[in-house]
Amino acid sequence: MEVIGFGFPGENVFCPGGPIYTNPKEPSLFLSLGLPVDVYFPSRKRSRISAPFVFAERFEQKKHSSIEVLPDECLFEIFRRLPGGEERSASACVSKRWLSLLSSICRDELCSQNKSAVKNTEVKSKVEDEEIEGDGCLSRSLEGEKATDIRLAAIAVGTANCGGLGKLFIHGSNSSRGVTKVGLRAIARGCPSLKVLSLWNLPSVGDEGLSEIADGCHMLEKLDLSQCPAITDKGLLAIAKNCTNLTDLVLESCSNIGNEGLQAVGQYCTNLKSISIKNCPGVGDQGIAALVSSASNVLTKLKLQSLNITDVSLAVVGHYGKAVTDLVLTSLPNVSERGFWVMGNGQGLHKLKSLTVTSCLGVTDTGLEAVGKGCPNLKQFCLHKCAFLSDSGLVSFTKAAETLESLQLEECYRITQFGFFGSLLNCGANLKAISLVNCSGIRDLKLDLPELSTCNSLRSLSIRNCPGFGDNSLALLGNLCPQLRNLELSGLQGVTDAGILSVLENCEAGLVKVNLSGCVNLSDEVVSVMTEQHGWTLEMLNLDGCRRITDASLVAIAENCFLLYDLDVSKCATTDSGIAAMARSKQLYLQVLSVSGCSMISDKSLPALVKLGQTLLGLNLQHCNAISSSTADILVERLWRCDILS
């Protein structure tokens, strides 16, 4: 029963312990006797009545008025006069209607007397947010079902109290209440300081939503649009006209964006530093030419993938890419050999440092040699799935690219042993890393080469899944590369101990990282020699799948490796004895240990694993069938700081 307190001043207004009226019939004029009435007179307390007032039959019960009866216009005027961001955030929690109204208020619509309070709140909030946001920008991310207009409105109102939202990432959309122009309008009105916007897989967002952002977020610097089919050139035109500070543009799988939108961006946004365009069928040479030529002096990164462009675009890049340092060209079926030749001879890529070319049929010997000559400062070159490049073109390129530091070849099937070693010998004194992946054209021939000078600059060598790479090739590498620090020879099933030992015995500097996974013919002798000669520098060792490796290797590791922190002996022939040997070592301080698939490691290794766990941060026990679930549970309990996979 509701208790109603009177608001009379003073505590002695009512006579304590006695009747209010001298005439007992008099109260009947005030309270109806037809309804049950409880009257309470506590000692020296105000009277409380626990029943509603009934003022005779001629009086009506008074109705409570609500602020909800006010129209939106009145509430809008009230909300924009609230003294600070905290009050607006609290009001937004009342109802969806209030949230919608609050999110529609622009900052310049706030009453002038409240703007100073907003600024003071922002200063305080920025100091707090710096502990979370390293770059000083407040960031929010919505993914999947969480991405709705209501959440965007809440973000717009809530972040206004923290100096405004700086970065917004929306990846995916709610299936029934997806993001629309309404949510983006709230962001545009409440977050005028937005600098980074990423929209992925939003079919309900079109030109109107993007135009709202353009109208309200003039400070926008980075725009990422991916799988937004409803956005056309019209929306991109609005961004170009209103967000002239744009420096980064990413377009992916936007089927209705074409040359007109890119031409507008090129015309109005002259400070573009990074451009990435992928799988946009409407984009052609005109759009690419407009973008690259307008930002000739500032554009540093350019990525073109799966586009219907021709040799013309590459000619423009070669001539106007004066500031480009990173260039990625992928799946350009209409670009021929002439395009790469013209790009190399355009004399505009003198600052290019990194070049990646993937699945481009136009990459031939002639075109690649021209690129090498036209890029005098090229340091990193990655070539993937280029079927028409031969040994001759690769060697000619490496001769021309004298400053090259890193060379990566993947699925280049016409490259043979001659091309690989020819490029290694002709790269000059700057080459530091070379990688060969899935190149099935290499055959393990015994080459009768004259005495060659060593490649003392090479520090990292990676040969992966090249079935023809064998002991003869490794013997040549051992003589050519004495200063290796990182060695990866994975998936080479034809390699034996003799080939690996020829490399290990010629490394003078001391190996730091070694990956021999998948080399099924290696034995304990390789590990023994490696730990004896390089145990004082070795930090990472991967022997995954080397099934002939036994406990003898673990004993050698325990005795000789002082800096090793990452060891993988998955699917090796190791047992409990090997784990115990490592646990007894006084100088071994492993942080990551993987014994996945080692069927001979059992529950007996529990004490040794617990001791090793004093330094472990990661332990992989998957597919160790001899280790029971109870033992795994004990390890999880006792090694609380270690991530355990079991």
Side-chain angles (χ1 to χ4, degrees):
M1 193 174 292
E2 184 181 2
V3 179
I4 301 177
F6 294 93
F8 297 130
E11 60 180 357
N12 296 320
V13 175
F14 293 164
C15 299
I20 302 177
Y21 305 102
T22 56
N23 185 354
K25 296 182 179 181
E26 197 172 287
S28 63
L29 299 177
F30 183 66
L31 298 172
S32 173
L33 298 179
L35 295 176
V37 178
D38 294 334
V39 180
Y40 175 55
F41 298 110
S43 177
R44 303 189 65 80
K45 296 288 184 179
R46 297 175 184 172
S47 176
R48 298 173 183 263
I49 298 178
S50 54
F53 286 116
V54 180
F55 294 94
E57 295 182 357
R58 63 178 179 270
F59 295 98
E60 296 182 359
Q61 185 174 352
K62 187 176 181 180
K63 295 182 179 180
H64 293 285
S65 60
S66 172
I67 194 173
E68 289 295 335
V69 302
L70 294 177
D72 289 349
E73 293 79 6
C74 292
L75 286 177
F76 182 91
E77 292 299 325
I78 293 173
F79 291 154
R80 78 186 190 94
R81 287 171 169 80
L82 290 176
E86 294 181 359
E87 288 76 7
R88 285 190 293 276
S89 296
S91 300
C93 298
V94 173
S95 66
K96 291 183 179 180
R97 181 193 178 199
W98 284 30
L99 173 61
S100 177
L101 287 171
L102 283 160
S103 65
S104 67
I105 301 176
C106 297
R107 180 169 298 190
D108 55 6
E109 292 176 329
L110 298 174
C111 288
S112 58
Q113 61 265 31
N114 298 328
K115 290 184 179 180
S116 59
V118 173
K119 291 181 179 179
N120 292 334
T121 304
E122 289 179 0
V123 171
K124 178 181 178 181
S125 300
K126 283 181 179 179
V127 174
E128 297 173 354
D129 291 330
E130 282 178 359
E131 299 178 359
I132 302 175
E133 300 295 332
D135 56 1
C137 291
L138 189 61
S139 176
R140 291 291 182 268
S141 177
L142 296 180
E143 297 185 5
E145 295 297 312
K146 295 182 179 180
T148 63
D149 288 339
I150 294 296
R151 286 185 178 271
L152 288 178
I155 288 174
V157 176
T159 56
N161 185 33
C162 304
L165 188 65
K167 300 178 181 179
L168 176 62
F169 305 89
I170 308 175
H171 296 171
S173 184
N174 188 286
S175 56
S176 58
R177 305 182 306 276
V179 173
T180 66
K181 63 179 180 181
V182 177
L184 293 184
R185 182 186 300 123
I187 293 296
R189 290 177 175 268
C191 308
S193 59
L194 187 69
K195 293 183 178 181
V196 179
L197 177 64
S198 178
L199 306 177
W200 287 16
N201 191 21
L202 300 177
S204 300
V205 172
D207 293 334
E208 293 183 3
L210 199 60
S211 296
E212 293 285 354
I213 295 293
D215 292 338
C217 304
H218 297 165
M219 298 175 63
L220 192 67
E221 296 178 357
K222 299 181 180 181
L223 177 64
D224 183 355
L225 303 177
S226 178
Q227 300 181 46
C228 298
I231 295 179
T232 69
D233 290 332
K234 182 179 179 182
L236 203 57
L237 175 62
I239 290 288
K241 288 184 176 180
N242 294 281
C243 305
T244 56
N245 292 325
L246 199 67
T247 59
D248 289 52
L249 176 64
V250 178
L251 302 176
E252 180 176 345
S253 301
C254 295
S255 54
N256 289 310
I257 290 180
N259 293 328
E260 184 179 350
L262 296 186
Q263 287 173 334
V265 173
Q267 178 181 356
Y268 295 101
C269 305
T270 57
N271 293 316
L272 280 174
K273 297 179 181 179
S274 177
I275 299 173
S276 176
I277 306 176
K278 176 182 177 182
N279 193 28
C280 296
V283 173
D285 292 329
Q286 293 179 344
I288 299 300
L291 281 177
V292 176
S293 60
S294 64
S296 177
N297 296 321
V298 294
L299 183 63
T300 58
K301 296 182 180 180
L302 177 63
K303 179 179 179 180
L304 305 176
Q305 180 173 352
S306 302
L307 302 177
N308 296 321
I309 59 176
T310 67
D311 299 338
V312 174
S313 292
L314 263 65
V316 172
V317 171
H319 182 73
Y320 289 100
K322 298 177 181 179
V324 173
T325 59
D326 297 82
L327 177 61
V328 179
L329 304 173
T330 304
S331 300
L332 304 178
N334 298 325
V335 174
S336 66
E337 176 186 77
R338 183 180 180 183
F340 284 93
W341 186 88
V342 174
M343 184 179 72
N345 286 281
Q347 302 299 316
L349 296 176
H350 288 182
K351 292 185 178 181
L352 187 65
K353 294 182 179 180
S354 176
L355 174 62
T356 300
V357 182
T358 304
S359 300
C360 291
L361 300 178
V363 176
T364 62
D365 296 347
T366 302
L368 192 60
E369 182 180 2
V371 171
K373 292 179 179 179
C375 306
N377 293 300
L378 189 65
K379 296 184 181 298
Q380 297 180 356
F381 181 53
C382 302
L383 198 61
H384 304 164
K385 299 181 181 180
C386 294
F388 296 108
L389 180 67
S390 69
D391 293 338
S392 176
L394 181 61
V395 172
S396 299
F397 169 79
T398 53
K399 285 182 179 180
E402 298 178 353
T403 60
L404 196 65
E405 296 181 356
S406 175
L407 175 63
Q408 180 178 340
L409 304 175
E410 182 174 351
E411 296 187 36
C412 297
Y413 301 124
R414 294 186 64 187
I415 301 300
T416 69
Q417 196 179 29
F418 294 97
F420 174 74
F421 283 102
S423 60
L424 185 62
L425 295 172
N426 288 281
C427 274
N430 296 308
L431 187 65
K432 297 179 180 179
I434 189 167
S435 174
L436 202 64
V437 182
N438 294 326
C439 293
S440 58
I442 291 183
R443 298 290 181 266
D444 193 38
L445 304 175
K446 189 173 182 179
L447 301 179
D448 187 14
L449 298 177
E451 186 174 347
L452 302 173
S453 59
T454 58
C455 185
N456 291 317
S457 61
L458 195 67
R459 296 291 184 271
S460 177
L461 172 66
S462 176
I463 311 293
R464 289 184 288 151
N465 301 321
C466 297
F469 213 95
D471 291 343
N472 292 323
S473 301
L474 290 178
L476 285 175
L477 281 175
N479 294 325
L480 291 175
C481 311
Q483 300 298 323
L484 284 177
R485 303 282 286 174
N486 301 324
L487 177 64
E488 180 179 12
L489 303 172
S490 60
L492 307 183
Q493 298 185 1
V495 169
T496 66
D497 289 352
I500 300 295
L501 290 175
S502 63
V503 177
L504 296 178
E505 292 173 352
N506 286 283
C507 288
E508 301 172 357
L511 291 170
V512 176
K513 299 179 180 179
V514 177
N515 183 355
L516 302 176
S517 60
C519 296
V520 295
N521 294 317
L522 301 186
S523 70
D524 293 325
E525 183 182 359
V526 168
V527 179
S528 177
V529 173
M530 185 192 312
T531 55
E532 288 179 3
Q533 296 185 1
H534 305 279
W536 57 283
T537 58
L538 193 63
E539 296 179 2
M540 298 179 64
L541 177 60
N542 189 340
L543 300 171
D544 183 6
C546 300
R547 54 197 179 198
R548 296 179 61 188
I549 298 298
T550 68
D551 292 337
S553 294
L554 298 188
V555 172
I557 290 171
E559 293 177 350
N560 299 304
C561 295
F562 301 92
L563 301 178
L564 188 69
Y565 67 88
D566 191 333
L567 175 63
D568 190 342
V569 289
S570 300
K571 298 186 287 293
C572 293
T574 53
T575 68
D576 297 327
S577 299
I579 301 298
M582 290 197 299
R584 289 193 298 267
S585 174
K586 296 182 179 180
Q587 68 267 5
L588 192 62
Y589 297 95
L590 288 177
Q591 295 183 18
V592 179
L593 173 63
S594 178
V595 293
S596 173
C598 295
S599 57
M600 291 183 287
I601 296 179
S602 67
D603 293 341
K604 295 180 181 179
S605 292
L606 176 59
L609 290 174
V610 170
K611 186 174 181 181
L612 288 171
Q614 295 176 0
T615 59
L616 284 179
L617 300 177
L619 175 62
N620 188 352
L621 301 175
Q622 291 179 315
H623 310 298
C624 294
N625 299 327
I627 295 181
S628 63
S629 58
S630 59
T631 298
D633 292 339
I634 294 174
L635 288 172
V636 171
E637 180 180 355
R638 299 187 64 177
L639 307 182
W640 55 269
R641 64 192 295 267
C642 177
D643 291 329
I644 299 178
L645 297 177
S646 60

